[in-house]
Amino acid sequence: MRGWIGLAIIAGVVYYFATETDKLDKPINDIKSMFTKADNKLDSMTGTKIIKIDKHIPQVKSEIRERLSTQESRELDRVFASNESITEFKTQYCNSSARHSVFSKENLQFICDKI
């Protein structure tokens, strides 16, 4: 019984430090970082990397290109250069108040609707 009381006190102290203070934030982040590094190391050792191929993008790009000017078409090629650039474009320009220096407001909305 005495062991259970000691264990309960220790658990209570750990719970307090984890929820009410920032004393355990650094050790927790260190452990998360260690697991992330181990996961990355395992991925690099196995040589496998999951790459999502979106077959929808070329079709969407041709649909969008039909209504663009030459300058807008060149800018579209920059946007569709990689999945990361598409994601960045969506984050930056696909909201209600966004403006783009090359795309017209209507074409920007059309692009955002398609991607």
Side-chain angles (χ1 to χ4, degrees), residues 48-92:
T48 58
K49 187 173 185 178
I50 298 173
I51 300 173
K52 180 182 175 191
I53 299 174
D54 196 348
K55 296 181 179 168
H56 178 69
I57 295 296
Q59 179 185 3
V60 169
K61 189 175 176 184
S62 65
E63 287 177 29
I64 295 170
R65 191 179 304 281
E66 292 174 5
R67 63 184 282 160
L68 301 179
S69 68
T70 304
Q71 185 180 9
E72 288 175 324
S73 184
R74 279 190 229 118
E75 184 67 20
L76 185 69
D77 288 336
R78 284 186 219 122
V79 170
F80 280 83
S82 67
N83 286 338
E84 291 81 19
S85 63
I86 293 171
T87 303
E88 183 180 317
F89 178 85
K90 285 168 53 174
T91 303
Q92 188 171 3

Side-chain angles (χ1 to χ4, degrees), residues 6-20:
L7 186 59
I9 290 172
I10 291 172
V13 169
V14 169
Y15 178 79
Y16 172 78
F17 279 113
T19 59
E20 302 296 326

Side-chain angles (χ1 to χ4, degrees), residues 32-50:
K32 285 181 182 178
S33 174
M34 183 178 65
F35 280 116
T36 303
K37 286 178 186 176
D39 190 35
N40 290 342
K41 179 103 174 166
L42 182 62
D43 287 345
S44 69
M45 288 173 61
T46 60
T48 58
K49 187 173 185 178
I50 298 173

Side-chain angles (χ1 to χ4, degrees), residues 19-37:
T19 59
E20 302 296 326
T21 69
D22 61 355
K23 301 285 185 203
L24 293 178
D25 289 348
K26 186 179 180 331
I28 290 171
N29 287 335
D30 290 345
I31 291 170
K32 285 181 182 178
S33 174
M34 183 178 65
F35 280 116
T36 303
K37 286 178 186 176

